[in-house]
Amino acid sequence: MAANVRPVLAEDPNLGETVVSEDEIRSRIAELGGRITADYQGRPPLLVGVLKGAFVFMADLARAIDLPVDFDFMAVSSYGSSTKTSGVVRIVKDLDVDLSGRHVIVVEDIIDSGLTLNYLRKNLHARNPTSVEVCALLVRDGKQHGDLDLKYVGFVIPPAFVVGYGLDVDERYRSLPYVCTYVGPEP
Ligand code: IMP
Ligand code: MG
């Protein structure tokens, strides 16, 4: 077993195959950080992390951007504790900062139906930012994302439900350093 795999988690029978490894995440974030650094010269971005899932990705992404970056967070709820979307989005925690004149990058863990992101975009645009782009670590394949205008995407992944690197099932597995499938019971 590799030294960086944690035995207790690695032996959890609810966890399936690795979908994105730690190394893949690290090198992709370095690329995304480099692109954002080049794209935002002279107009430092405000990263808006979507809690809770994006907190791990946001921490690593921010440190890969060679610019003075500001941070804020929103918490929205679209899933409850289930692995199926409820179709309902509501703001649980709103932003602290004023968006007018800011270059916003929304940092998301995963885009599935796009419902959460669609709602967020409309909501953020109404606050007069100068620009809004999206940086998503994961995009689930097989859905129609063309109209979502995702500028920065880490990985397109297969349909299976995944956990790790910020993503949870019923608040579990967020601290896994990689992304893997969840094969346990519905919470
Ligand atoms: P959407 O609104 O259907 O695009 O769902 C987006 C949100 O659902 C994400 O921000 C996640 O919090 C959650 N989500 C979607 N798929 C997964 C998954 O495979 N694992 C964990 N959370 C997920
Ligand atoms: Mg979630």
Side-chain angles (χ1 to χ4, degrees):
M1 187 183 295
N4 62 355
V5 175
R6 295 157 199 184
V8 172
L9 289 171
E11 286 167 20
D12 188 324
N14 293 334
L15 299 179
E17 64 187 32
T18 301
V19 175
V20 191
S21 73
E22 235 181 308
D23 283 348
E24 289 169 325
I25 292 172
R26 192 179 304 116
S27 61
R28 189 74 180 125
I29 287 179
E31 288 172 21
L32 291 172
R35 278 179 53 199
I36 291 170
T37 302
D39 292 350
Y40 285 81
Q41 290 295 314
R43 44 179 203 127
L46 170 69
L47 301 186
V48 170
V50 184
L51 293 172
K52 301 175 193 171
F55 83 105
V56 179
F57 177 43
M58 181 136 147
D60 285 343
L61 179 70
R63 287 175 290 178
I65 300 171
D66 189 14
L67 292 170
V69 167
D70 289 343
F71 299 88
D72 207 346
F73 293 93
M74 278 178 97
V76 296
S77 170
S78 62
Y79 263 55
S81 63
S82 159
T83 55
K84 298 263 160 33
T85 185
S86 67
V88 176
V89 180
R90 83 194 150 89
I91 294 180
V92 177
K93 182 227 172 284
D94 205 352
L95 297 172
D96 296 323
V97 306
D98 180 359
L99 294 191
S100 55
R102 304 303 303 260
H103 294 281
V104 174
I105 302 178
V106 178
V107 181
E108 260 280 29
D109 53 358
I110 181 167
I111 311 294
D112 185 13
S113 66
L115 184 87
T116 307
L117 186 63
N118 259 335
Y119 171 83
L120 274 179
R121 255 191 199 284
K122 281 195 202 104
N123 186 287
L124 296 179
H125 269 298
R127 307 184 200 200
N128 296 314
T130 302
S131 67
V132 178
E133 298 292 353
V134 176
C135 182
L137 177 69
L138 306 172
V139 173
R140 180 161 287 120
D141 202 7
K143 307 247 177 165
Q144 190 51 260
H145 298 296
D147 53 344
L148 286 178
D149 190 19
L150 306 173
K151 183 144 189 191
Y152 308 101
V153 171
F155 303 92
V156 178
I157 63 163
F161 195 85
V162 294
V163 294
Y165 202 73
L167 291 109
D168 71 306
V169 57
D170 208 9
E171 299 303 328
R172 296 177 63 205
Y173 305 118
R174 292 193 198 275
S175 66
L176 273 177
Y178 48 89
V179 176
C180 66
T181 58
Y182 174 77
V183 295
E186 284 274 322

